[in-house]
Amino acid sequence: MVGLSVGEKEFIKGGVAQDLRSDGRKRYTYRPIYVETGVIPQANGSARVRMGSTDVIASVKAELGRPSAMQPDKGKVAIFVDCSPTAEPTFEGRGGEELSAELSSALQRCLLGGKSGAGAGIDLSSLVVVEGKVCWDLYIDGLVISSDGNLLDALGAATKAALSNTGIPSVHVAAEAASDEQPEVDISDEEFLQFDTSGVPVITTLTKVGKHYIVDATLEEESQMSSAVSISINRQGHICGMIKRGGVGLDPSVILDMISVANFVSRQLMDKLDSEIVAAEADEDES
């Protein structure tokens, strides 16, 4: 919980109204973004992303499994987020558990379009090895190291960077098995396929403070919000998911305007994130 005086609250709201925020940014400007890849050697892919003082890690682990009966032509993705108690005192105990569950659900919604995977920003069909029998299960784990607002966008960026860093082992399927039998598979230790992230979206959260909305809100700015809408948009401009937080309702025309703004801002974020990922992977290759 952020404790602010009346004067500090008015200063934040006044700054947003005048398009000059407390840290000097304009409403639609992000804090500096830094990316580091390959931070967890045991994972198939991993990345650390910092947005200002918000610091998160995402890792990807790939395991062979069996497709669900409802979606035999798709693999599976599970997303979990853990909030470290050292990141924020309120993360200790039940507060951290509730936020972890909220962030896990929000990431699932923004990246997979919901539990069904409909409208997924991650191509689940690319994870199938043998339809109806063998698929890759991806376990995406997020960790909040330091919290200064805009956790969902940072976790979304870290997930995209971790997936860009992910290598899926090549799988050789033995001779065709009977329809009721599981085929034998041989997993390569040397050949890896780079995970395709061309359709993976970035998440842009628009936070309403007073009569205006801003991107990449700090913890202090979030304490003054009336509502927030998070929209995940990929490189092709497709909306993969959208969620709303806060008790104040929004007029449909306002939501349409927010989508338009998110579409514009997300392109800037994606360009910056992609360039940071390329630079981070180049540094990883050199080390």
Side-chain angles (χ1 to χ4, degrees):
M1 187 66 68
V2 180
L4 298 174
S5 67
V6 174
E8 288 171 324
K9 292 177 181 179
E10 291 304 317
F11 182 73
I12 290 172
K13 292 177 181 177
V16 170
Q18 295 175 37
D19 200 15
L20 183 62
R21 294 156 70 176
S22 305
D23 54 11
R25 289 182 291 151
K26 292 185 175 294
R27 295 186 197 118
Y28 302 151
T29 305
Y30 275 82
R31 291 169 290 183
I33 300 172
Y34 302 98
V35 177
E36 184 181 356
T37 56
V39 293
I40 303 178
Q42 301 88 345
N44 290 86
S46 60
R48 182 175 185 173
V49 168
R50 281 171 288 170
M51 287 185 176
S53 297
T54 291
D55 192 353
V56 300
I57 288 177
S59 66
V60 181
K61 191 70 175 173
E63 295 181 2
L64 282 180
R66 185 164 188 163
S68 67
M70 297 291 289
Q71 295 179 314
D73 60 340
K74 294 180 179 179
K76 301 191 293 291
V77 175
I79 300 174
F80 306 95
V81 175
D82 183 34
C83 297
S84 171
T86 59
E88 176 71 28
T90 56
F91 289 174
E92 290 189 21
R94 191 168 181 81
E97 292 175 5
E98 290 177 352
L99 182 59
S100 294
E102 179 185 327
L103 288 170
S104 299
S105 176
L107 264 183
Q108 180 100 9
R109 199 59 168 288
C110 288
L111 297 178
L112 301 178
K115 292 183 178 179
S116 67
I122 298 175
D123 183 11
L124 301 180
S125 61
S126 68
L127 299 174
V128 169
V129 178
V130 179
E131 186 169 332
K133 294 184 178 181
V134 184
C135 72
W136 284 107
D137 292 341
L138 295 187
Y139 296 93
I140 300 174
D141 291 295
L143 174 65
V144 177
I145 301 172
S146 177
S147 171
D148 187 25
N150 204 27
L151 285 176
L152 185 58
D153 292 20
L155 285 165
T159 299
K160 184 177 175 69
L163 287 170
S164 295
N165 183 244
T166 295
I168 304 291
S170 295
V171 177
H172 174 70
V173 182
E176 194 70 30
S179 59
D180 58 342
E181 294 179 0
Q182 281 292 99
E184 293 184 8
V185 296
D186 181 33
I187 304 174
S188 174
D189 292 329
E190 299 178 351
E191 295 182 10
F192 294 86
L193 301 174
Q194 200 67 26
F195 190 83
D196 181 14
T197 59
S198 59
V200 178
V202 293
I203 302 172
T204 300
T205 298
L206 292 167
T207 304
K208 196 165 191 291
V209 178
K211 295 181 179 180
H212 304 275
Y213 31 86
I214 57 177
V215 301
D216 191 22
T218 64
L219 212 54
E220 289 186 346
E221 289 171 333
E222 286 182 345
S223 73
Q224 301 308 303
M225 78 173 192
S226 55
S227 60
V229 173
S230 299
I231 306 167
S232 57
I233 304 175
N234 65 16
R235 177 66 73 179
Q236 292 73 38
H238 299 150
I239 296 176
C240 301
M242 183 166 63
I243 58 171
K244 176 186 171 297
R245 290 179 291 127
V248 177
L250 292 171
D251 188 88
S253 63
V254 173
I255 293 178
L256 288 174
D257 186 44
M258 293 176 95
I259 291 173
S260 176
V261 171
N263 202 3
F264 169 73
V265 174
S266 67
R267 292 183 183 279
Q268 299 180 29
L269 173 60
M270 208 166 319
D271 289 342
K272 173 62 175 173
L273 183 60
D274 285 348
S275 67
E276 284 290 321
I277 291 171
V278 169
E281 290 180 341
D283 288 343
E284 185 185 353
D285 290 339
E286 290 176 4
S287 61

